[in-house]
Amino acid sequence: MQNYGDFLKIEARRSSPRFACLRVQDYDHLYDWTDWADCASSRGAMPVRNKLSVKGVAAAKKPGVYSDGGGLYLRVRPSGSKSWLFIRTSKGLRRELGLGSALDVSLALARERAEALRTRATNGLDLVPANSLSDAEAPTTVTFEEFAKEYIRSIQGGFDNAKHRQQWQTTVATYTASFARTPIDKVGRDNILEVLRPIWLSKPETARRVQQRVARILDAAKVRGLRQGDNPAQWQGNLQLLLPRQDKSVAHHAALPFRGLPNFMKDLAQRQGTAARALEFTIFTAARSGEVLGMRWEEVDLENRLWTVPADRMKARVQHEVPLDAAATALLRSMKTQATMLEDFVFGAEPKKALSNMAMTALLRRMGRGDITVHGFRSTFRDWAGDVTSHAREDVEMALAHTIASKAERAYRRGRSLEKRRVLMSEWADFANGLQRA
């Protein structure tokens, strides 16, 4: 750090024979890191301005803030919208003023407005005179749509899978279209009710998801300083008092009655393709479709007839061991080739590409069984186990990877129930293949 008189503080960050990269701050101005020509030998050099070009502004696509120098910036949002900003720090206080959309304000005009603001500051005047904000000079606003897209992008790493990410994006985009372009700080209760009322009773689950996701987005906007006051999408003490009570009865997945399973499995065995084998395996193991579709060979121990599903693919976020009966083991052996790698998907559209989560559903429709669901086979298994066998309810629940009340009981049963579940799943496969009568 070197001091030049009372005004300039110059810090060298990197240098070359022709350029030095410096940060310069006087008591009124703050400039970004930038290249100065021959500044090492020119104590009084001024910072480079007019760094942007018309073509550069048009070509800027990556979200971020681009400096033109002298406090003028181009902001590119994740949505692709572009706007001009004037940023200035004086006596430790940062001011940020919008100079208009890049669609309406040219680079030349933005520079003129930035120069006018610098002149006002030099003369000791407020950057924006009281009650004289023009539309172009008003601080830039963030719309609900812009913030929602940015927020979803920021949290999507925590979603369970691509389907969950798509559901978030689709529900928000579809049901908030009426106020998508409304400034995030202006979204109110009327906007929320306008969206929720038409679907609150006809599509209760979707409506609840929309309400919860919008509430979370608005909470995040408040935390980031873009909103103030109560959340208009909040449920407790707010929408709860304005919307009718929904029917809380649970809609179960359509399931095949277990006595019809042997005939179904005969039909399925005649079907060709990876989706058919994936559905067979899903039925034999009573697993969830996402657990099967994400299955890799490294999770399979054919010698000990065991499939270990990692915690990050389980609904309860707990590793789950699945005993493999003879039928499931034989199916896996038929799928494996000499070219199979440990990291390959077992039921992949390609070795490194998982099968679509709609593949098994589409297969059911081709079989003329659009009246049942893949997930429903878990209910088929449970009904069979409860009605036909004498296996303990807890062992059946463990086979379905359902959470058992206490951690101690879970640990105890996990250790002692594996072999019991192996017997259970073997009997289930025999029944499914018509080798054992109900």
Side-chain angles (χ1 to χ4, degrees):
M1 171 76 72
Q2 294 182 351
N3 291 322
Y4 294 98
D6 293 329
F7 299 99
L8 292 178
K9 296 179 181 179
I10 302 182
E11 281 185 278
R13 192 180 186 189
R14 70 174 185 271
S15 60
S16 69
R18 294 188 62 237
F19 295 93
C21 188
L22 307 175
R23 185 175 191 271
V24 177
Q25 182 180 23
D26 63 24
Y27 294 143
D28 290 321
H29 298 77
L30 174 67
Y31 299 103
D32 282 346
W33 289 101
T34 186
D35 287 333
W36 288 13
D38 300 321
C39 66
S41 61
S42 179
R43 175 180 299 183
M46 290 298 292
V48 172
R49 293 182 184 166
N50 300 345
K51 291 185 289 185
L52 299 176
S53 66
V54 173
K55 288 184 178 180
V57 170
K61 305 295 183 186
K62 184 178 179 180
V65 178
Y66 300 80
S67 173
D68 185 57
L72 178 62
Y73 295 83
L74 174 72
R75 171 181 282 166
V76 180
R77 296 190 183 279
S79 63
S81 65
K82 303 174 186 178
S83 58
W84 296 107
L85 298 174
F86 182 77
I87 301 175
R88 181 185 182 86
T89 299
S90 177
K91 299 178 181 180
L93 298 177
R94 176 187 171 95
R95 295 290 304 278
E96 180 177 319
L97 299 175
L99 303 182
S101 166
L103 291 175
D104 304 319
V105 179
S106 67
L107 174 59
L109 181 54
R111 285 171 177 166
E112 288 181 15
R113 290 177 175 174
E115 178 61 32
L117 289 170
R118 285 193 296 269
T119 300
R120 291 186 62 82
T122 301
N123 293 330
L125 301 174
D126 289 339
L127 289 183
V128 181
N131 302 320
S132 65
L133 279 174
S134 68
D135 290 340
E137 291 177 330
T140 53
T141 58
V142 180
T143 66
F144 177 87
E145 180 181 39
E146 289 172 336
F147 182 81
K149 287 180 178 179
E150 182 180 348
Y151 176 69
I152 294 171
R153 189 178 293 109
S154 73
I155 65 171
Q156 64 184 3
F159 293 153
D160 292 342
N161 49 52
K163 181 180 180 180
H164 193 189
R165 286 195 297 272
Q166 187 60 44
Q167 286 175 338
W168 256 84
Q169 294 166 353
T170 301
T171 53
V172 172
T174 301
Y175 292 99
T176 66
S178 62
F179 58 87
R181 297 182 180 275
T182 301
I184 190 78
D185 62 332
K186 302 298 183 185
V187 175
R189 188 181 295 112
D190 289 343
N191 297 117
I192 310 302
L193 290 173
E194 181 184 6
V195 165
L196 294 180
R197 277 177 172 149
I199 61 172
W200 189 250
L201 297 178
S202 60
K203 299 179 180 179
E205 184 176 358
T206 298
R208 286 195 299 272
R209 288 178 177 175
V210 172
Q211 177 265 317
Q212 292 164 359
R213 290 167 184 173
V214 171
R216 186 171 170 182
I217 290 169
L218 295 180
D219 275 341
K222 182 177 180 179
V223 170
R224 295 189 189 180
L226 298 176
R227 285 184 59 88
Q228 295 180 348
D230 295 335
N231 188 332
Q234 180 179 321
W235 176 247
Q236 292 290 342
N238 182 42
L239 297 181
Q240 179 186 33
L241 306 175
L242 300 174
L243 291 168
R245 173 178 287 184
Q246 293 177 329
D247 182 2
K248 296 295 184 179
S249 59
V250 178
H252 295 284
H253 293 274
L256 179 72
F258 68 84
R259 297 186 190 281
L261 183 62
N263 287 334
F264 176 86
M265 293 297 284
K266 288 180 183 178
D267 186 5
L268 181 59
Q270 303 302 313
R271 303 281 169 163
Q272 301 298 313
T274 304
R277 304 291 78 77
L279 182 55
E280 277 186 312
F281 186 82
T282 300
I283 294 171
F284 285 142
T285 57
R288 298 180 178 90
S289 59
E291 296 159 11
V292 173
L293 294 176
M295 180 182 181
R296 297 178 188 268
W297 284 108
E298 61 191 358
E299 302 167 9
V300 180
D301 183 349
L302 288 175
E303 182 177 349
N304 293 305
R305 296 197 303 167
L306 191 67
W307 169 33
T308 303
V309 189
D312 62 4
R313 221 167 59 250
M314 294 300 300
K315 184 176 182 179
R317 290 294 184 263
V318 177
Q319 179 178 290
H320 182 54
E321 292 182 330
V322 181
L324 301 174
D325 65 275
T329 303
L331 188 155
L332 291 179
R333 291 188 187 281
S334 73
M335 298 288 293
K336 194 170 186 179
T337 68
Q338 290 186 342
T340 297
M341 305 292 288
L342 286 177
E343 65 272 17
D344 289 351
F345 287 103
V346 176
F347 301 103
E350 300 171 9
K352 300 295 188 294
K353 182 180 179 181
L355 201 65
S356 163
N357 58 12
M358 288 298 295
M360 290 188 281
T361 299
L363 172 63
L364 287 175
R365 291 171 183 166
R366 291 196 298 273
M367 295 174 68
R369 297 313 308 258
D371 58 320
I372 59 176
T373 65
V374 177
H375 195 87
F377 285 103
R378 288 167 55 83
S379 296
T380 303
F381 166 76
R382 176 189 266 169
D383 292 344
W384 166 83
D387 290 0
V388 176
T389 79
S390 59
H391 287 280
R393 182 190 65 82
E394 291 82 359
D395 293 329
V396 176
E397 293 300 303
M398 286 288 289
L400 291 166
H402 284 166
T403 302
I404 295 177
S406 71
K407 290 184 178 179
E409 185 179 4
R410 285 201 301 270
Y412 174 71
R413 291 196 176 279
R414 188 179 300 117
R416 69 187 292 271
S417 75
L418 183 61
E419 292 309 314
K420 288 188 174 183
R421 286 189 286 126
R422 191 178 294 280
V423 173
L424 169 64
M425 302 315 291
S426 180
E427 291 179 7
W428 166 242
D430 286 347
F431 168 74
N433 286 328
L435 303 178
Q436 184 183 98
R437 295 185 63 182

